[in-house]
Amino acid sequence: MGGTKASAVEIEVAGHAVRLSSPDRVIYPERGYTKADVFHYYLAVGDGIMRALRDRPTTLQRFPEGIEGEMFFQKRVPARGVPPWVRTARIEFPSGRSADELCPVDVAHVAWAAQMGTIVFHPWPVRAADVDRPDELRVDLDPQPGTDFADAVTAAGELRALLDELGATGWPKTSGGRGVHVYLRIEPRWTFTEVRRATIALARELERRRPDLITTAWWKEERGAHVFVDYNQMARDRTIACAYSLRANARATVSTPVDWDELPDVDPDDFHLGSVPARLAERGDPHAGIDDAPWDITPLLEWADRDDAAGSGDLPYPPDHPKMPGEPKRVQPSRARPEAD
């Protein structure tokens, strides 16, 4: 498909001129979707994805030549060659280094990122006003070998029941793969460490109720055929593909918000670049009310205190994270040396 440079166009988005170059470049070879298709997809779901991204520092997963080409994560917006209207927010990594990440305030920021080859948007669970206190608690239900999407849905149902007992509202979405994500909007009062601790307490309670289905085991060799609650998605600098983000797979699936009542009946492969804009236009956004009632996580922190007192303390952090106070050894159990007598 030659002549793509000559066909570059400027499109007005949210009052800004956004350049779209190489619109005919094929991004999803199996489906035939082009860069223009990706660009216009993000415009079509603008209201939905902005609900997920607005004022959030966002890591960009870029595939400039398409999903079968080179991929990289961009955490720093370049100092040059960026439109003057592009907003950024400074975040600090666990290492102590910092970066100015893209911080979308309108859909023009999403379109600009799509022009740069961004396929997947990974926002932090914080807002620019306070980048050290999450306002979003994310529960990542990740099916392990021997389990599938249906098992993740069952685990999500257990989570829903538990949240109902707590008086909290969970907002489910497909991951775009085999998993289910459930978000809670929370008051931005607690640190990453505290929110992760609350997430571990929530995960442990789920595991106690359904040990046959759910696990919090960090080491893969200990998980078995269970749905893993990936509590480390709440560690600093860990992110999840946001609502309405495309995923980098051959099917061009979308991480799609759903209603609790429809979740048991959906097929995540039905939510893709070609279908989700019409779904959003016809049905509206199932996450439309996510910002209405932030929740106080104090009950989860009380559960964490209870677990600590019972001898269940912290769990391992990701391997690239600095060693944290109270964290157990990061040694795979099968490789751990026996304790001396």
Side-chain angles (χ1 to χ4, degrees):
M1 294 184 181
T4 54
K5 290 187 178 179
S7 60
V9 294
E10 279 197 351
I11 299 171
E12 184 171 326
V13 183
H16 301 291
V18 181
R19 185 171 183 266
L20 173 60
S21 62
S22 304
D24 296 331
R25 177 177 293 147
V26 176
I27 303 300
Y28 288 96
E30 187 170 304
R31 302 297 293 268
Y33 292 136
T34 65
K35 185 177 178 182
D37 292 326
V38 171
F39 187 94
H40 289 290
Y41 164 80
Y42 278 122
L43 296 187
V45 300
D47 288 345
I49 198 166
M50 283 309 302
R51 187 168 288 110
L53 290 179
R54 190 177 304 278
D55 295 324
R56 297 192 185 280
T58 301
T59 300
L60 308 178
Q61 189 176 359
R62 294 176 57 189
F63 295 79
E65 302 301 321
I67 64 165
E68 295 181 354
E70 180 186 4
M71 181 278 290
F72 60 95
F73 289 93
Q74 182 165 340
K75 298 190 176 186
R76 291 175 171 81
V77 171
R80 297 180 180 179
V82 177
W85 47 265
V86 168
R87 302 276 188 91
T88 61
R90 179 158 296 183
I91 47 88
E92 186 173 292
F93 301 119
S95 64
R97 293 176 296 151
S98 63
D100 293 323
E101 287 205 333
L102 183 71
C103 187
V105 297
D106 56 35
V107 74
H109 287 68
V110 180
W112 174 79
Q115 152 62 17
M116 300 288 287
T118 300
I119 301 298
V120 190
F121 290 83
H122 297 265
W124 281 47
V126 300
R127 308 275 188 174
D130 191 342
V131 295
D132 294 317
R133 288 178 171 78
D135 73 332
E136 194 164 72
L137 188 156
R138 300 168 174 176
V139 182
D140 181 4
L141 301 170
D142 183 11
Q144 300 302 292
T147 63
D148 56 18
F149 179 75
D151 295 302
V153 169
T154 301
E158 297 289 340
L159 174 60
R160 182 189 187 187
L162 182 53
L163 294 177
D164 284 346
E165 293 176 24
L166 291 165
T169 301
W171 302 86
K173 66 183 181 74
T174 65
S175 69
R178 297 167 61 247
V180 174
H181 301 153
V182 180
Y183 287 6
L184 284 76
R185 184 66 76 246
I186 64 174
E187 298 173 6
R189 292 167 43 192
W190 297 276
T191 65
F192 276 96
T193 302
E194 290 168 324
V195 176
R196 177 181 173 276
R197 186 169 180 256
T199 305
I200 290 173
L202 181 64
R204 279 178 165 152
E205 184 63 23
L206 283 171
E207 185 179 34
R208 275 190 286 267
R209 296 185 180 201
R210 287 297 305 271
D212 60 313
L213 174 68
I214 296 168
T215 183
T216 60
W218 176 246
W219 302 105
K220 291 183 179 180
E221 66 186 38
E222 294 187 325
R223 292 177 189 169
H226 290 78
V227 176
F228 172 52
V229 184
D230 190 354
Y231 58 87
N232 268 331
Q233 294 293 5
M234 287 311 307
R236 181 186 286 270
D237 195 30
R238 297 285 280 210
T239 55
I240 301 176
C242 73
Y244 297 103
S245 175
L246 290 163
R247 302 310 307 266
N249 57 44
R251 303 177 307 282
T253 60
V254 173
S255 183
T256 306
V258 294
D259 294 320
W260 278 113
D261 291 342
E262 69 173 323
L263 179 60
D265 299 318
V266 303
D267 181 339
D269 282 353
D270 288 341
F271 301 138
H272 53 78
L273 185 154
S275 66
V276 169
R279 170 185 162 87
L280 179 60
E282 293 166 8
R283 298 172 55 109
D285 184 3
H287 284 193
I290 193 170
D291 292 314
D292 293 348
W295 188 59
D296 181 339
I297 66 171
T298 298
L300 297 183
L301 294 174
E302 291 172 349
W303 285 2
D305 290 339
R306 174 200 64 190
D307 291 344
D308 284 347
S312 297
D314 203 356
L315 292 171
Y317 272 79
D320 56 350
H321 206 284
K323 184 72 173 176
M324 297 293 284
E327 180 189 357
K329 292 180 179 179
R330 294 185 198 173
V331 180
Q332 192 171 332
S334 60
R335 297 182 178 182
R337 296 179 180 178
E339 297 289 339
D341 293 335

